[in-house]
Amino acid sequence: MELTANARIVLESRYLRRDEQGKLIETPEQMLERVALAVAEAELYWGQAKDVQQTASLFFDLMNEKLFLPNSPTLMNAGTPLSQLSACFVLPVEDDMSAIFDTLKLAALIQQSGGGTGFNFSHLRPEGSYVSSTGGTSSGPVAFMKIYNAATEEIKQGGKRRGANMGILNINHPDILTFINAKEDAHQLNNFNISVGIKNDFFKALDTGKTYTLHFSDVHGKTIEREVSAADLWQKLVHAAWATGDPGLIFLDTIQQFNPTPGIGTIEATNPCGEVPLLPYESCNLGSINLSKMLQKRENQDWQVDWEKLRRTIHLAVRFLDNVIEINRYLHPELKRMATGNRKIGLGVMGWAEMLIRMGIPYDSQEALQFGSQLMQFIQHEAQIASASLAAQRGSFPFIIQSQFSSQQRRNATLTSIAPTGTISLIAGTSSSIEPLFAIAYKREHVLNNQTLFEINPAALEILSRQQHFSEQMLDEIILKGSVQHIRQLPESVRRLLKTSLEIDYTYHIAHQVSFQRYTDNAVSKTINMPASATIADVENAYRMAWQQGAKGITIFRYGSKAEQVLHAGLKK
Ligand code: CDP
């Protein structure tokens, strides 16, 4: 497996198996063999035993050539006794002490195995409510989130990665103001991304200048209601997001509109990074196609998409991810029932920025947006064909009768999802997800317990090294600043092509999210980067744009607003 120095470090420290003394017992190639064989063996279940070796070799090549990689838990755990292979889970939080701690226990086990957990805390009664069994008062959703947070703090996902949580509270919950400000203190809820669950009626109240009703009904039908100013609530929310990056928003009505199995339940939450809205107890296996490998170049011509190679990769990736559901080990019977009932998978992409740079298309252009939609439409369409053809051999997903596909043959309730690809893009040596380059060169902290990694994007280096005035001194300057915008010897067209996340207007970040969302069954994880100078009005505008244009959620990140940043542009000497 061809690997960058950084990829090798990441694999050795977290992915490759070790014996009890901590000695490495596999190479990167052996890791891929382990994963490929375990995933291919799923086909034994459907009586396709003679295909196993052949399928394993197809899966091995797929990963070895870095055309596609599954999410981290699959790489770490496939073919091991643990065999928990999913990255994303949503668990229910019911208004009952024993249910709250049952879910916490399951969340702890999921995180220990490398999975991330999302919860909607809106079913919990507000702070100060009566507790009939004790005669006391309830401490409210945010207090229970702090307990979940403390548990995550002590679970280091098998010593491999930090646990991640998504905590959601609906906009009409009486404790919404406490929730909105819950991350003002940077140490509080540090293992949570938090998002407000927005319903369309809130925007209606906001736009007509009306009050908004906060509401809670307990299981006995006892109701608490309070009228608040919608404008005041909105201003507080946007201000908190501007100051700290939290809370983000989740658009519950949009999510429900695209819920493929409304007959099975209502979706109230997403996984930690937001790319998979899921029903309670559902999970999802992700995998991403490396777009930087989907290009071809004929002699004296520019780089073009190799559609045929992309098509083959999609079909094999769908088969891979469907197999993962079969060999997965589930930590709870309900997790198994939901995962095998809906068989959701999330095929996404990485290397989009690198693809655009090679093709000479600036990220902040209409051309990039249209091309993004076209590409994702192709991926979704081919994934549907692949899923239908698997259904013909293996049967449709069991809950299909209660789904919007009840008249079709289909193996999976969802097929596509754009994940952040934080680690797998590093292993593949390409830009992450559909993000622009964060910096032309950068250092990455905290990834591996205080080690610092340096990276220069290969596509950017390729373009730069073709420039007339390119020199080692110029490269040093680029590494120092992480940007090429200040280098006047470079033509305007090159500078535009190599704009980084913070140099791209936030409206283009949102437009990319929306362009890909149009053809994504699940959701798109996207960081809407803003410079430190962005105003509260910018944040408000971003949140509204995302809702109006059909995003399923939004998270902004204003540079410098979080104390602990994983990425820093350029090098700081
Ligand atoms: O690249 P990799 O497969 O490691 O993960 P990603 O695409 O960056 O993140 C995908 C999902 O994995 C996230 O949305 C979370 O659900 C989960 N995750 C987690 O639980 N803990 C982490 N430290 C990172 C990701």
Side-chain angles (χ1 to χ4, degrees), residues 408-463:
Q408 301 172 25
Q409 261 204 331
R410 203 169 134 138
R411 181 69 176 157
N412 316 88
T414 66
L415 294 164
T416 48
S417 198
I418 309 283
T421 71
T423 325
I424 60 168
S425 64
L426 202 126
I427 296 171
T430 190
S431 58
S432 58
S433 188
I434 58 163
E435 300 291 354
L437 301 185
F438 183 78
I440 302 304
Y442 57 80
K443 68 172 182 179
R444 199 187 266 263
E445 288 173 0
H446 297 297
V447 178
L448 305 165
N449 309 337
N450 297 328
Q451 284 198 53
T452 304
L453 304 180
F454 299 99
E455 290 170 35
I456 300 176
N457 181 272
L461 192 61
E462 192 182 302
I463 295 222

Side-chain angles (χ1 to χ4, degrees), residues 15 70-72 87-88 114-116 157 161-164 271-273 275 286 419-424:
Y15 290 70
N71 56 208
S72 291
C88 311
Q157 297 196 332
R161 59 181 186 172
R162 282 188 78 83
N271 69 323
C273 303
E275 71 274 18
L286 307 172
T421 71
T423 325
I424 60 168

Side-chain angles (χ1 to χ4, degrees), residues 378-389:
F378 182 85
I379 293 174
Q380 187 186 46
H381 180 68
E382 288 301 326
Q384 283 163 354
I385 297 174
S387 184
S389 110

Side-chain angles (χ1 to χ4, degrees), residues 140-447:
V142 174
F144 284 106
M145 288 175 72
K146 288 182 193 164
I147 295 173
Y148 277 43
N149 189 70
T152 298
E153 189 66 30
E154 301 310 326
I155 306 158
K156 290 277 151 56
Q157 297 196 332
K160 288 176 175 167
R161 59 181 186 172
R162 282 188 78 83
N165 295 295
M166 167 66 87
I168 296 166
L169 198 73
N170 294 352
I171 186 84
N172 65 350
H173 190 284
D175 284 4
I176 193 67
L177 278 179
T178 314
F179 178 82
I180 283 171
N181 295 316
K183 292 198 67 169
E184 232 167 26
D185 169 357
H187 301 295
Q188 201 159 280
L189 298 184
N190 59 323
N191 299 309
F192 267 91
N193 293 323
I194 65 168
S195 282
V196 173
I198 297 280
K199 302 180 181 195
N200 292 346
D201 66 353
F202 175 75
F203 279 117
K204 218 181 266 168
L206 186 62
D207 290 341
T208 50
K210 293 224 174 84
T211 56
Y212 188 65
T213 313
L214 304 186
H215 171 99
F216 184 85
S217 283
D218 69 14
V219 283
H220 310 294
K222 211 174 135 240
T223 297
I224 299 169
E225 279 195 349
R226 204 165 74 238
E227 294 292 313
V228 295
S229 151
D232 186 46
L233 181 53
W234 179 242
Q235 281 314 314
K236 287 188 167 120
L237 192 167
V238 170
H239 184 275
W242 173 83
T244 68
D246 282 296
L249 305 181
I250 301 264
F251 302 119
L252 294 170
D253 289 323
T254 311
I255 286 175
Q256 194 51 25
Q257 188 188 336
F258 292 96
N259 177 359
T261 57
I264 301 290
T266 303
I267 298 180
E268 299 183 320
T270 71
N271 69 323
C273 303
E275 71 274 18
V276 202
L278 292 168
L279 294 166
Y281 288 113
E282 256 193 321
S283 53
C284 189
N285 309 314
L286 307 172
S288 298
I289 291 176
N290 180 355
L291 294 175
S292 74
K293 298 271 181 190
M294 297 297 143
L295 290 168
Q296 60 184 339
K297 191 179 179 130
R298 297 214 181 82
E299 222 173 311
N300 297 327
Q301 278 185 356
D302 295 333
W303 287 104
Q304 286 180 336
V305 179
D306 185 341
W307 295 103
E308 201 35 56
K309 185 176 183 185
L310 180 57
R311 187 197 313 274
R312 280 197 309 271
T313 307
I314 296 164
H315 282 248
L316 202 52
V318 168
R319 180 167 157 196
F320 184 108
L321 293 173
D322 188 62
N323 284 11
V324 170
I325 299 170
E326 218 57 37
I327 56 152
N328 217 342
R329 269 201 54 214
Y330 297 92
L331 295 164
H332 189 280
E334 197 57 15
L335 290 175
K336 180 168 189 179
R337 191 179 78 85
M338 293 304 285
T340 54
N342 266 342
R343 305 192 69 88
K344 285 187 176 173
I345 60 171
L347 179 62
V349 297
M350 53 186 161
W352 169 238
E354 211 176 312
M355 180 180 233
L356 287 177
I357 292 170
R358 290 234 152 84
M359 293 176 78
I361 304 171
Y363 192 92
D364 56 352
S365 67
Q366 285 305 316
E367 195 187 348
L369 297 174
Q370 277 162 14
F371 176 39
S373 269
Q374 184 200 1
L375 190 85
M376 202 57 214
Q377 185 177 23
F378 182 85
I379 293 174
Q380 187 186 46
H381 180 68
E382 288 301 326
Q384 283 163 354
I385 297 174
S387 184
S389 110
L390 288 178
Q393 302 157 22
R394 305 174 177 182
S396 289
F397 63 95
F399 295 166
I400 197 165
I401 330 284
Q402 283 134 296
S403 83
Q404 50 165 292
F405 309 113
S406 54
S407 60
Q408 301 172 25
Q409 261 204 331
R410 203 169 134 138
R411 181 69 176 157
N412 316 88
T414 66
L415 294 164
T416 48
S417 198
I418 309 283
T421 71
T423 325
I424 60 168
S425 64
L426 202 126
I427 296 171
T430 190
S431 58
S432 58
S433 188
I434 58 163
E435 300 291 354
L437 301 185
F438 183 78
I440 302 304
Y442 57 80
K443 68 172 182 179
R444 199 187 266 263
E445 288 173 0
H446 297 297
V447 178

